[in-house]
Every structure is written in C-alpha cells, then in structure tokens.
Amino acid sequence: MSINEKRRAPVGVFDSGVGGLTVAREIMRQLPNENLVYFGDTARVPYGSKSKDNIIRYSRQIIHFLKTKEVKAIVIACNTASALALDVVQKEEDLPIIGVIRPGARAAVMATKNKKIGVIGTEATVQSQMYSKVMKAMEPEVTVIGKACPLFVPLVEEGFAKHHVTEEIIDFYLASMKKEEGIDTLILGCTHYPLLRSRIKEYMGEKIHLVNPAYETAMDLKALLEEMDMANDLQEKEHASYSFYVSDAADKFKQFANSILPYDIETTKQIQIEEY
Ligand code: DGL
C-alpha cells in the first residue's frame, strides 16, 4: 500500500450501540477529510452491566472486524470499553488505538476550579474508577465522585431523551451530585449521555461545567494522525466516506443515526460479530 493509500484508509470507531455516534459526529466535524467505519454492537448492548472478560472479548472481535476494513487507527468511542479493555487491546495490536477516558479526564482537570469532579457512567465504568485514576495522576488534589446511571442508556436508545420520565430519572440519579457533593465539573462518562446533555444541564444548572469527552477525543485523534503523518489529504471536491455496521437491528440504528448526524446515512449493514 502506498503512503497516500495509507493516509486515505478509514479510521475505525466503535461503541456498544448508538452512543459512539456522538464521538463519530465530533470526528466528522473536526476531521472532515477522514473516512470512517463505525461499528455499533447493537446485539450486545449494554456493555455497562457486563464483566471485564466479556468486554475485552467483544472489543477484540470488533477490532478484528475493523481491521478487515484496513483501518489506520481505532477510536474506542465507548467509556466502558475504554475503561476495561483499552489497556489490554493496545498491547495486543500493532495499530494505534485511543479511548475516550484520557481525553475526557484531561478536559475535566483543566476545567475544574474547586477540584471536585463528578463522573457519571455505566456500572462498569464507575466501578473501574478509571476516570479517578487518570485524573489523580494528572492532578493529585482532585476529589472524584462517581455515580452509575444505568437507565440513561435505554432512555437514549429508545428515543426517550425528551420524554418527561427522563426528568424524574435524572433527579433520581443526580440529586445528591447536585445538592451534596459540591462539584463544579461533571463528566458525561458514557457516550450515550451527551444525547441527554441539555436535560442534564437544565437539571444541574449553569454553574456546573459539563464535559463531553467526544470533543477532546477528536482533538487527540487529529494530533495522533498528524504525528504519524497519516492525516488524509483529500483532493478538493472529494467527500469523506462513512460506513456503518451493526450486530443487530440495522434499520433502527439507521433511523437513530439520521436523527443525530449532520447528514443522512443510506445504509447500515448487519454483520455476525461473533465470527471475528
Ligand atoms: N456508550 C457506552 C459507554 O460509553 C456504554 C453504554 C452501554 O453499553 O452500557 O460506556
């Protein structure tokens, strides 16, 4: 493969479902020349209640699938897989793989003034304490308060972001974070949660700074591709190409993706991920 072909190779992005589209959307915005292959593991979502062993197994299979698409780098657009599988797969693979936790942690450490940071995410992410470990390595003085919000994922996946029950569930999970913990920064530590951002913002109030790790992750990907001299330099008038794969319910995924991406996707293919 020539160097130009390598630069034009896509970036692989994956999540347990639609959540990672919030990261893909940010990559499309910040790196408009990059071709993307997205995989949503819709047959096995949610990852947040699964064991570490299974999340590592799922991540390995997805990476093997993405490698068949000749990707030049992979973004794990899932906090749960970033927390539990990134270190393992990074050691096994010969291509660059980045996750969303380090970029999100950095943004929160930069934003906090009182050094009290809240992290909301899946059971698995919160239990791993990965955000806390990474932030304390960057700034030992920070206090990190984690809270698992498992019902946020099905609310998003089922399109309930604007439904009134969502308000009650936000109150159920975030009341103590809002009233007792004294945080000034809150990390949306699950890629589904930015789709509830305005509801969470409304509830937490203007004074709490919300961090969406997607923004910093796209910045890190840009820096990584430039450092490797792998950024795509498309000729004028060419368009980046985006392909979407899922492990189940392709039509539902497509409909959802079309409601949040800046353009309409035409096809989503279903694959048998267990074969990889
Ligand atoms: N969107 C995923 C994350 O960022 C996980 C949701 C799930 O599958 O539980 O953690």
Side-chain angles (χ1 to χ4, degrees), residues 134-152:
V134 174
M135 288 195 285
K136 281 186 192 292
M138 291 171 181
E139 167 54 79
E141 303 275 282
V142 288
T143 305
V144 183
I145 299 108
K147 176 82 189 169
C149 306
L151 288 175
F152 284 177

Side-chain angles (χ1 to χ4, degrees), residues 114 116-117 145 176-185 208:
N114 73 0
K116 284 193 179 160
I117 299 172
I145 299 108
S176 64
M177 196 71 96
K178 177 176 168 166
K179 295 172 193 146
E180 290 155 32
E181 306 291 3
I183 58 162
D184 69 352
T185 303
I208 308 293

Side-chain angles (χ1 to χ4, degrees), residues 8-269:
R8 280 165 193 233
V11 173
V13 179
F14 78 87
D15 178 44
S16 58
V18 296
L21 290 169
T22 59
V23 179
R25 175 171 73 177
E26 198 51 44
I27 297 172
M28 291 170 184
R29 210 175 61 79
Q30 290 189 39
L31 292 84
N33 287 350
E34 296 301 334
N35 300 312
L36 301 184
V37 178
Y38 183 96
F39 178 78
D41 201 355
T42 46
R44 303 187 290 198
V45 67
Y47 280 12
S49 51
K50 305 285 186 324
S51 66
K52 180 172 173 137
D53 283 354
N54 270 325
I55 292 164
I56 292 172
R57 187 168 68 84
Y58 297 165
S59 301
R60 282 185 179 132
Q61 287 174 334
I62 298 168
I63 290 166
H64 295 161
F65 164 69
L66 290 172
K67 284 175 86 173
T68 67
K69 302 290 166 198
E70 315 261 336
V71 295
K72 62 184 173 188
I74 291 179
V75 178
I76 304 188
C78 173
N79 288 264
T80 311
S82 298
L84 298 175
L86 177 66
D87 287 354
V88 176
V89 293
Q90 263 177 341
K91 286 191 197 109
E92 295 171 348
E93 296 296 338
D94 52 2
L95 85 174
I97 305 178
I98 62 169
V100 287
I101 291 192
R102 182 162 292 278
R106 195 180 56 229
V109 167
M110 306 253 293
T112 186
K113 299 227 161 35
N114 73 0
K115 298 196 171 36
K116 284 193 179 160
I117 299 172
V119 179
I120 52 174
T122 65
E123 284 303 347
T125 300
V126 171
Q127 261 173 29
S128 77
Q129 298 197 5
M130 191 54 90
Y131 269 106
S132 178
K133 287 176 202 155
V134 174
M135 288 195 285
K136 281 186 192 292
M138 291 171 181
E139 167 54 79
E141 303 275 282
V142 288
T143 305
V144 183
I145 299 108
K147 176 82 189 169
C149 306
L151 288 175
F152 284 177
V153 171
L155 284 174
V156 167
E157 296 262 341
E158 295 305 321
F160 270 50
K162 298 204 171 95
H163 198 282
H164 67 87
V165 296
T166 300
E167 204 172 302
E168 264 179 58
I169 294 171
I170 289 176
D171 179 55
F172 174 75
Y173 284 135
L174 300 186
S176 64
M177 196 71 96
K178 177 176 168 166
K179 295 172 193 146
E180 290 155 32
E181 306 291 3
I183 58 162
D184 69 352
T185 303
L186 178 64
I187 302 178
L188 304 178
C190 171
T191 51
H192 285 67
Y193 299 178
L195 298 166
L196 299 175
R197 189 182 189 285
S198 56
R199 304 298 301 272
I200 296 172
K201 181 91 199 160
E202 212 177 291
Y203 180 78
M204 294 300 288
E206 283 305 313
K207 288 198 187 121
I208 308 293
H209 180 82
L210 298 190
V211 172
N212 172 5
Y215 180 79
E216 302 269 332
T217 303
M219 277 174 44
D220 278 18
L221 175 64
K222 190 164 188 229
L224 173 81
L225 295 178
E226 277 164 12
E227 197 181 299
M228 298 185 337
D229 194 19
M230 272 296 145
N232 191 8
D233 47 359
L234 282 174
Q235 300 299 314
E236 247 182 275
K237 296 203 178 117
E238 279 183 76
H239 296 286
S241 86
Y242 305 132
S243 359
F244 297 86
Y245 296 85
V246 290
S247 45
D248 203 357
D251 279 343
K252 189 174 170 197
F253 176 92
K254 194 176 101 179
Q255 234 177 340
F256 195 97
N258 285 342
S259 71
I260 68 159
L261 291 178
Y263 79 105
D264 270 1
I265 67 176
E266 276 153 33
T267 51
T268 302
K269 289 192 196 109

